[in-house]
Structure formats: C-alpha cells, structure tokens
C-alpha cells in the first residue's frame, strides 16, 4: 500500500489538484482507490458505464477504438499523473472508447459520486475540471487536424517535437512500440518505417532501436508544418 504522504505529493502533480492544500488533497486521497492492472489488461470497454475516472500513478494506458472490421485505432496514450475517463463521468454518458494497460500499471480510481460531493463543497474543483476538459478538447482538435490535414511525415515530425518538448531533450527513447505509434499517427507500421528511414537517410534524425536523436530541429519543424517535404 502506498503511503499517504506519497499519494498527497503525487496528487499535487496532477493538474486537477495542483492548487490544493494538504488538507484538501487529503480529502481526495480518502475517496480514491488504488488499482493494479497487468499489461494487456482491459480497464474499461467502449460503451461501459462510467462510474468514475482514473489517474495514472505509474505505467502507461492506451485509449482506443475498434472498427467493425476489427481494426484498432489508438486515440491517446497516458502516463503518470495524467487523467483519463473523466469526460463521460461528467456528461452522464458511457465510455466512448476502451482503455487497456500497455504495461504493468497502478491507477488511482476516483468514484463519480464521491467526487461530485467534493465539488459541491469545493467549487474550485469544478474550475480545475473545466481546465482539464478544455485541455482535452484542445488535444482532440489537434488530433483531428493532424489526421485530416497532414501527411504521415508531418504527423511523425509533430510527434517527435512533442516528445522532445516533454522530455526536454533532443535525445530520447520511444516508450511505445512502432505498431502503437503507427496507430496513434493514423497509419500502418510499414508506412511509419519507411518515413522513419527517410528521416534517417536525410540526416535529420539518428535512430537505433527505440533511441532517437533529433539532429535538425528546424527541418523537422518545417516538415511538421508542411513547409518542407521529404
């Protein structure tokens, strides 16, 4: 069992509770449940009842849709301190997609009814939730733009720049598989491999296994914006 201090410190890294005092964070820790999930374990399914939402404590979770033909498309991949499953909870609808652990993970589950009771006592929680939902809407808008307006090289370039900004380094390791990345970018693994090889041959990246070094940020940025083709 995680210590209360660890949970309280962690909660303050979550956007929803970032401006909470220790006493207020303690109220959240009192209603949450810690859930352990194994790699490839389903957390909830498309159409399932949304009785609460989740925060990744450690590990990685993918949110995905499956077509009638059985093809999977990844919508998001969430890591530590990120919230998922919150939108249907506050719209009184079922989950619109499925969630699965892509590695052994620990989650914090916050029941809907308990959380709404806290919102009634602490209105700033509602304001924080608006920030979370606004961020999610912005993310979805970017996803739609990426998939509908950009070609695969531009989508990959945008993703690499996003990871660079997140890791604060031009050298990083891809923490998802090629298949998962291809699905996230709305393409197939073979196409992704060809584009990666073009990036490598042009000298704008170095790529070995999962390790990537961005060598020419300016060109990658231009590709992401559609100013250059490769």
């Amino acid at each position: 069992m995680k210590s209360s201090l660890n949970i309280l410190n962690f909660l303050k890294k979550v956007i929803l509770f970032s401006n909470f005092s220790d006493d207020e964070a303690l109220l959240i820790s009192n209603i949450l449940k810690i859930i352990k999930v194994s790699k490839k374990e389903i957390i909830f399914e498309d159409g399932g009842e949304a009785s609460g939402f989740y925060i990744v404590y450690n590990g990685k979770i993918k949110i995905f849709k499956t077509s009638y033909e059985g093809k999977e498309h990844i919508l998001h991949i969430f890591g530590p301190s990120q919230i998922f499953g919150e939108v249907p909870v506050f719209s009184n609808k079922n989950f619109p997609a499925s969630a699965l652990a892509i590695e052994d993970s620990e989650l914090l589950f916050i029941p809907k009814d308990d959380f709404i009771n806290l919102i009634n006592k602490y209105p700033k929680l509602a304001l924080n939730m608006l920030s979370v939902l606004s961020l999610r809407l912005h993310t979805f808008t970017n996803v739609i733009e990426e998939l509908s307006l950009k070609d695969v090289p531009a989508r990959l370039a945008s993703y690499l720049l996003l990871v660079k900004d997140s890791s604060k380094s031009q050298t990083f390791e891809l923490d998802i598989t090629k298949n998962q990345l291809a699905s996230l970018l709305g393409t197939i693994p073979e196409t992704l491999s060809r584009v990666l090889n073009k990036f490598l041959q042009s000298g704008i990246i170095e790529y070995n296994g999962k390790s990537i070094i961005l060598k020419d940020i300016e060109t990658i940025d231009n590709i992401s914006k559609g100013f250059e083709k490769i």
Side-chain angles (χ1 to χ4, degrees):
M1 187 72 179
K2 304 296 180 185
S3 73
S4 298
L5 182 59
N6 287 342
I7 294 295
L8 290 178
N9 289 336
F10 175 80
L11 287 174
K12 291 187 176 181
K13 299 176 184 176
V14 178
I15 184 173
L16 189 56
F17 313 116
S18 58
N19 60 353
F20 266 40
S21 67
D22 287 346
D23 288 341
E24 290 167 336
L26 183 60
L27 293 173
I28 300 298
S29 70
N30 287 337
I31 66 170
L32 62 79
K33 300 174 184 177
I34 299 176
I35 300 174
K36 292 186 177 182
V37 290
S38 302
K39 183 178 181 180
K40 297 185 178 181
E41 183 175 342
I42 289 283
I43 298 152
F44 55 75
E45 293 186 298
D46 191 348
E49 181 183 357
S51 58
F53 63 96
Y54 301 81
I55 304 168
V56 183
Y57 190 80
N58 59 57
K60 285 188 177 61
I61 306 299
K62 71 175 179 181
I63 308 298
F64 66 97
K65 294 279 287 187
T66 304
S67 69
Y68 289 115
E69 295 79 21
K71 183 179 179 181
E72 178 185 294
H73 179 67
I74 297 176
L75 303 175
H76 297 286
I77 292 180
F78 294 112
S81 80
Q82 292 184 302
I83 300 169
F84 68 97
E86 78 287 354
V87 175
V89 167
F90 298 98
S91 61
N92 291 316
K93 295 183 179 179
N94 293 340
F95 289 117
S98 301
L100 178 143
I102 57 178
E103 60 187 49
D104 291 346
S105 305
E106 287 183 290
L107 310 174
L108 306 182
F109 174 73
I110 299 183
K112 171 184 176 180
D113 292 341
D114 291 338
F115 186 71
I116 288 176
N117 287 336
L118 282 181
I119 285 179
N120 291 330
K121 295 178 182 178
Y122 299 95
K124 69 180 178 181
L125 254 180
L127 294 176
N128 287 2
M129 182 55 76
L130 281 175
S131 296
V132 172
L133 296 177
S134 295
L135 181 61
R136 187 75 73 238
L137 178 61
H138 179 69
T139 300
F140 269 117
T141 301
N142 286 342
V143 168
I144 292 170
E145 179 185 359
E146 294 285 337
L147 296 181
S148 61
L149 301 179
K150 294 185 176 182
D151 58 18
V152 176
R155 292 178 219 162
L156 176 59
S158 295
Y159 178 81
L160 293 176
L161 292 174
L162 184 65
V163 177
K164 176 190 76 71
D165 291 342
S166 176
S167 64
K168 297 180 173 57
S169 173
Q170 292 180 211
T171 302
F172 51 83
E173 288 197 359
L174 288 178
D175 55 4
I176 57 177
T177 67
K178 274 189 182 180
N179 285 357
Q180 290 164 350
L181 178 55
S183 178
L184 191 62
L185 297 179
T187 187
I188 58 175
E190 293 78 8
T191 299
L192 175 62
S193 292
R194 284 197 295 271
V195 174
L196 274 171
N197 284 333
K198 285 183 178 179
F199 280 22
L200 179 65
Q201 291 166 8
S202 68
I204 62 174
I205 68 168
E206 287 184 8
Y207 176 61
N208 183 17
K210 288 190 172 184
S211 180
I212 291 183
I213 303 174
L214 305 189
K215 305 290 289 184
D216 187 343
I217 299 297
E218 183 178 353
T219 298
I220 294 172
D221 185 55
N222 285 337
I223 292 171
S224 75
K225 295 173 180 174
F227 297 157
E228 286 191 39
K229 299 293 182 182
I230 194 168

